[in-house]
Amino acid sequence: MLLGILKESAQGETRVALLPSSLKSLLAQGIAITVESGAGAFSGASDAAYTEAGAAVTADRASILSNADLIPVVNAPNAADQASLKHHAVVLGFLKPLDAPQALAPAIERPVTLFSMELIPRISRAQAMDALSSMATVAGYKAVIAAADRLPRLFPMLMTAAGTIPPARVFVIGAGVAGLQAIATARRLGAVVEAYDVRAAAGEQVRSLGAKFLDVDLGGISAEGGGGYAAELTEEALDRGRDLITRTAAHSDVIVTTAQVPGRPAPRLIRRAAIEAMRPGSVLVDLAAPAGGNCELTQPGLTQIIGGVTLLAPLNLPAEVPVDSSALYARNILNFLSLIVKNGNLTVDLADEILSGACVSHQGKPVNPRVAKLLQPLPAPTG
Ligand code: NAD
């Protein structure tokens, strides 16, 4: 069996799916590994390091695509790459199957077996494969660092002979994995932190990090979706959150917003009025930008200054920390591979709930029911 490691082609992507340190157990099973030259260049992994670890390195991307039986990736290969994949190869990575299922059509039709890191069920057995969580952890940290860098104030309270500087006030919206890491990072830097999440269960975690949890009465509506995620809320329930956010924005120096509902556009929680309520010089980091953004003024990927408030909408913060992001991601990939590679052979057993949950397509057919539904052809018009 041949495993291929590609140089990621998406713009701005610096991560790599597997590092030289990840290869030992795979090579020990007799798997041959070919790496595209330069694949680990930003992640501290030179071509020489891959060679030393026992892989072959080539500049011939096309030969990896057409010969590899197994290709772990960070992002989905583009349409041209998908069309040259080996028949019945297995590709796994962040494939965005719920956001852009049609973009995977060339690989599904090839047919290629696709596993999506986004769809791995959130059960305890799958925690070591949970790449969404590891990347969200990096993004939460980096969002606070980016905000601290832009803010014309200091984060910690300073008592000096020249007077006292009050601590920065940070407001974190969405206290999931990214939000909790943002809270922890802001607290470590000495800020006073408040946080809001629709899931009441997040309150205890927020408080345990030394931040204040802001509760909103949702009028009895359940905000808990499946698998630890939030449910999509009604406009009325969202409005209650929006009002709280506008009030809290007025005394916040930094807002880091992370609210997401899987497979749906990010909830629009921050109105123009909230930005206008912030003091000039304040910073808002919209981590939900890849899903459209939590702020109605967000333009994904762009930095704007609105009435003196800096609005950052980064699309890929983990790529700004490629060494550690790749190290975490490679471990997630390796743990997933242990389910589909046995004694050097590919064995895809869809009776395993992790595999059936994460499987976008197998033998030319969609497997995950949510993806299957999205890929269904539209019914022919009647009448
Ligand atoms: P996510 O990225 O989908 O969402 C981020 C946060 O936004 C969530 O906490 C969500 O409740 C919140 N949110 C959604 N809509 C909102 C709204 N209208 N207003 C305010 N907040 C809103 O979620 P995530 O961070 O990936 O994970 C959420 C939770 O899932 C985690 O905190 C954790 O408890 C759980 N989890 C479980 C496992 C596991 O068991 N293996 C792994 C990871 C996470």
Side-chain angles (χ1 to χ4, degrees):
M1 172 167 70
L2 179 67
L3 182 149
I5 301 173
L6 296 173
K7 187 174 153 84
E8 292 293 317
S9 57
Q11 203 193 352
E13 188 54 79
T14 56
R15 293 167 292 175
V16 64
L18 284 174
L19 289 168
S21 55
S22 332
L23 308 186
K24 201 173 167 188
S25 61
L26 299 166
L27 291 162
Q29 295 179 57
I31 299 170
I33 300 177
T34 301
V35 182
E36 184 178 353
S37 178
F42 297 106
S43 302
S46 63
D47 288 353
Y50 280 108
T51 313
E52 210 171 296
V57 174
T58 174
D60 187 356
R61 180 181 179 88
S63 80
I64 299 179
L65 287 166
S66 56
N67 290 311
D69 304 286
L70 175 58
I71 306 190
V73 292
V74 180
N75 304 296
N78 64 29
D81 282 352
Q82 288 181 37
S84 41
L85 287 164
K86 184 174 177 180
H87 287 248
H88 300 292
V90 172
V91 176
L92 69 145
F94 285 124
L95 304 183
K96 298 199 170 96
L98 299 179
D99 306 328
Q102 293 301 344
L104 300 172
I108 296 173
E109 285 159 17
R110 192 94 179 109
V112 163
T113 296
L114 299 175
F115 287 107
S116 150
M117 300 305 275
E118 295 98 325
L119 294 176
I120 293 175
R122 289 194 142 173
I123 55 175
S124 50
R125 190 164 63 88
Q127 267 178 359
M129 308 162 198
D130 185 352
L132 274 185
S133 286
S134 33
M135 295 304 107
T137 301
V138 176
Y141 162 84
K142 195 67 183 168
V144 170
I145 300 300
D149 193 33
R150 294 272 183 162
L151 191 71
R153 296 169 177 274
L154 299 168
F155 261 45
M157 181 172 88
L158 288 187
M159 295 169 86
T160 79
T164 299
I165 300 279
R169 298 190 68 118
V170 174
F171 180 29
V172 175
I173 302 169
V177 181
L180 290 172
Q181 185 55 236
I183 294 169
T185 304
R187 290 283 300 138
R188 267 182 237 130
L189 288 175
V192 170
V193 183
E194 294 175 301
Y196 163 62
D197 196 296
V198 270
R199 291 179 303 111
E204 203 181 311
Q205 290 166 306
V206 167
R207 283 187 286 270
S208 75
L209 291 169
K212 182 175 171 190
F213 187 66
L214 305 177
D215 249 330
V216 171
D217 176 8
L218 292 178
I221 296 168
S222 168
E224 305 271 348
Y229 290 114
E232 195 169 23
L233 298 185
T234 60
E235 273 304 305
E236 190 208 333
L238 284 173
D239 266 342
R240 298 187 186 206
R242 289 179 182 124
D243 292 342
L244 169 98
I245 288 166
T246 305
R247 285 197 305 276
T248 311
H251 63 249
S252 301
D253 298 301
V254 168
I255 298 180
V256 174
T257 183
T258 73
Q260 301 223 37
V261 177
R264 306 292 308 148
R268 284 290 156 97
L269 295 169
I270 306 176
R271 297 192 180 112
R272 176 183 280 276
I275 300 266
E276 287 171 353
M278 295 179 86
R279 276 182 297 194
S282 306
V283 182
L284 191 155
V285 186
D286 192 342
L287 278 188
N294 289 145
C295 176
E296 64 182 15
L297 302 181
T298 288
Q299 296 195 33
L302 294 186
T303 295
Q304 305 173 73
I305 313 255
I306 299 161
V309 174
T310 302
L311 169 50
L312 302 170
L315 291 174
N316 190 358
L317 281 180
E320 293 183 20
V321 200
V323 170
D324 284 330
S325 294
S326 297
L328 293 170
Y329 188 65
R331 273 181 229 133
N332 294 141
I333 289 280
L334 207 54
N335 288 323
F336 188 91
L337 289 182
S338 70
L339 298 182
I340 58 169
V341 179
K342 303 269 156 72
N343 299 320
N345 295 310
L346 271 171
T347 50
V348 175
D349 175 9
L350 293 179
D352 182 328
E353 65 175 313
I354 296 179
L355 296 185
S356 58
C359 190
V360 175
S361 70
H362 185 53
Q363 294 174 345
K365 293 196 180 64
V367 174
N368 180 291
R370 289 170 74 196
V371 181
K373 205 168 160 203
L374 290 172
L375 285 168
Q376 254 168 23
L378 293 173
T382 50

